[in-house]
């Protein structure tokens, strides 16, 4: 199966569907790891390619691994970068498995020589400039006695206006361009090198047959890269400026929200071109004893108001309704007050319900104040689905106004055991540009979990969701670069954008 060239969004729907069914994934280094999010929880991931901490499996070992798991009755996804049949040995592996009676299905992928140039603004064919495109390996099997690459023909194709795309050519960039020039290709022919195409660290060098080696070296470009030779490589953007002009392209941003909550922030940052690393400091878990939650939801009709102050509470409500075999109609008689955009969205998304009341500011204080102002809460009964560590503000304010409030633990926030290794690998390489914090507790946990390693992120810029979070960060010795205004996820993204602009 082809994973596409890097950007996880360039995987096909067929690829995603296959991953959903996978018991085992055997992954090459260049195949996007983000795609593994589509695999089920029980999936076993085997790294076939070179990466920190793993050694490379030989082709024989890969073949044997694939066969072993398939013969044990498991569904195996062989995840390869780009397309599996373009310099990917896909057909060799398929033939090996087929010979052992194992059924093989091919899922093509978007290949690097088409996608990387496209993201750099280079179309590989063009009605007026290029009527052919040739895919070439720049690094032939060193064991092969005779070269199969006929540079005379390639030079001829390019001279006639064709596009040449070299894979695996960076180690031999000078030889490749010299060979083409030696076979008569004009030294002024445009050449572009696109490294890490479609990924947030994509970089492009542009030049001609005679100077591209110097230019690519000066820019520090190396593998993995596609070398594009031909008139199309000289197009300035060709109207496709989108990717390389994203404002956060090349920035690496750490998101410390919980897994459940990270996706919104992640999506917004990625849309602007950033690479996002999730480093949750807390995890959301069901309460140790869920009987009170079940009873409260079952008997919700006894209350006048249901209070929800987080999307986690909405998720817990939804799951409890499911477990009780009920749906949103069970909540028909109770009025619902929700604080925060995310809570509101979750309520609509998960249950199809619009809140009866939302405060104008996003805090428990505002909810209490505005609810008391807008509604007569005296003698009214409230049920509050809350986190085990929720602050007292809301309950105290409602009680002071004469309401009774039943508090029910809907979820627990537990500190995670450690921050991901990936975070420290990237911190060590000094590649983190921003740390983001959306709560005081996430700052506190982050510092505690980091321990001595906190020094690795000393110089990194910090963005917080608001004044309380900033205060905690400063108390713990961090300097805050920007603060969201308003205190929302969109505000946080805006603040980072402004600081980068
Ligand atoms: N099957 C893959 C190619 C594997 S060969 C495909 O269809 O794309 C590995 C080579 O592919 C690398 O040396 C590089 O030349 C190219 N490559 C893979 N991913 C790339 C990327 N994101 N950007 C630029 N080149 C890439």
């Amino acid at each position: 199966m082809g994973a596409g060239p890097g950007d996880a969004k360039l995987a096909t729907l067929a690829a995603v569907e296959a991953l959903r069914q996978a018991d085992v994934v055997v992954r090459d280094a260049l195949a996007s790891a983000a795609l593994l999010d589509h695999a089920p929880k029980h999936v076993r991931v085997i790294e076939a390619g070179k990466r920190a901490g793993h050694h490379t499996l030989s082709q024989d070992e890969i073949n044997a691994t694939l066969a072993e798991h398939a013969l044990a009755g498991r569904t195996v996804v062989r995840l390869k970068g780009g397309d599996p049949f373009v310099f990917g040995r896909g057909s060799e592996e398929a033939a090996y498995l087929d010979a052992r009676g194992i059924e093989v299905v091919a899922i093509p992928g978007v290949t690097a020589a088409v996608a990387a140039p496209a993201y750099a603004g280079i179309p590989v064919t063009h009605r007026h400039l290029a009527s052919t495109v040739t895919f070439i390996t720049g690094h032939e099997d060193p064991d092969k006695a005779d070269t199969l690459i006929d540079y005379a023909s390639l030079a001829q194709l390019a001279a006639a206006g064709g596009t040449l795309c070299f894979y695996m050519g960076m180690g031999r960039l000078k030889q490749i361009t010299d060979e083409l020039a030696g076979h008569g290709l004009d030294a002024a022919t445009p050449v572009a090198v696109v490294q890490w195409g479609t990924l947030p660290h994509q970089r492009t060098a542009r030049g001609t047959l005679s100077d591209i080696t110097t230019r690519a070296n000066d820019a520090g470009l190396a593998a993995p890269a596609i070398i594009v030779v031909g008139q199309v490589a000289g197009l300035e953007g060709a109207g496709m400026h989108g990717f390389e002009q994203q404002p956060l392209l090349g920035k690496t941003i750490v998101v410390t929200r919980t897994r459940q909550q990270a996706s919104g922030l992640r999506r917004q940052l990625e849309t602007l071109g950033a690479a996002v690393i999730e480093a949750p400091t807390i995890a959301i878990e069901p309460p140790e004893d869920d009987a009170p939650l079940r009873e409260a939801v079952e008997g919700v009709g006894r209350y006048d108001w249901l209070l929800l102050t987080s999307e986690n509470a909405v998720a817990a409500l939804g799951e409890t309704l499911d477990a009780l075999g009920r749906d949103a109609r069970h909540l028909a008689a109770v009025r619902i007050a929700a604080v925060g955009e995310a809570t509101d969205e979750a309520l609509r998304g998960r249950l199809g319900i619009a809140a009866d009341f939302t405060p104008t500011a996003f805090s428990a204080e505002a909810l209490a104040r505005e609810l008391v102002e807008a509604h007569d809460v005296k003698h009214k009964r409230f049920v509050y689905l809350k986190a085990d560590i929720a602050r007292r503000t809301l309950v105290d304010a409602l009680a002071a106004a004469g309401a009774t409030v039943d508090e029910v633990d809907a979820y627990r926030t537990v500190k995670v055991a450690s921050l991901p290794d990936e975070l420290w690998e990237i911190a060590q390489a000094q590649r983190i540009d921003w740390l983001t914090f959306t709560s005081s507790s996430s700052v506190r946990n982050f510092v505690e979990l980091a321990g001595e390693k906190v020094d690795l992120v000393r110089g990194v810029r910090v963005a917080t969701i608001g004044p309380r979070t900033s205060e905690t960060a400063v108390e713990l010795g961090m300097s805050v670069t920007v603060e969201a205004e308003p205190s929302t996820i969109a505000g946080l993204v805006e603040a980072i954008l402004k600081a980068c602009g």
Side-chain angles (χ1 to χ4, degrees), residues 67 125 151 175 202 208 259 438 483 485:
T125 74
Y151 278 94
Q175 287 96 311
Q202 170 175 320
T208 61
R259 284 253 173 276
T438 54
E483 189 176 283
E485 169 57 43

Side-chain angles (χ1 to χ4, degrees), residues 95-118:
Y96 175 94
L97 297 168
D98 184 61
R100 281 154 188 80
I102 297 161
E103 187 192 349
V104 179
V105 178
I107 303 177
V110 176
T111 193
V114 174

Side-chain angles (χ1 to χ4, degrees), residues 24 84 138 141:
V24 178
D141 192 337

Side-chain angles (χ1 to χ4, degrees), residues 294-427:
R294 288 173 73 110
E295 275 160 33
V297 173
E298 176 75 70
V300 75
R302 286 183 282 132
Y303 295 99
D304 301 295
W305 283 95
L306 169 61
L307 298 178
L308 299 166
T309 57
S310 77
E311 55 196 305
N312 299 317
V314 176
L317 173 62
E319 271 157 39
T320 309
L321 284 169
D322 289 347
L324 293 168
R326 308 229 181 237
D327 60 32
R329 291 171 300 171
H330 186 64
L331 306 174
V334 65
R335 288 202 272 180
I336 299 178
V339 60
E341 251 174 344
T343 312
D344 215 32
E345 259 170 45
L347 201 50
R348 282 173 193 274
R350 177 69 166 85
L351 293 164
I353 289 176
D356 297 284
F357 184 83
T358 50
T360 55
F362 308 114
S363 68
E365 287 89 340
L367 179 68
R369 188 170 5 96
E370 294 181 20
L371 192 58
V372 168
E373 272 166 21
H375 294 271
D376 180 14
V377 303
K378 199 163 183 184
H379 304 311
K380 291 288 190 300
R381 301 199 57 183
F382 286 75
V383 59
Y384 177 20
L385 302 192
K386 65 178 198 53
D388 55 344
I389 53 159
R391 288 185 299 144
R392 306 272 327 151
T393 332
L394 181 57
V395 176
D396 290 347
L398 288 171
T404 50
V405 184
D406 285 350
E407 299 172 68
V408 180
D409 285 351
Y411 59 94
R412 285 184 304 146
T413 53
V414 256
K415 205 189 313 157
V416 300
S418 64
L419 294 166
D421 292 343
E422 185 198 8
L423 174 73
W424 300 121
E425 280 167 28
I426 292 173

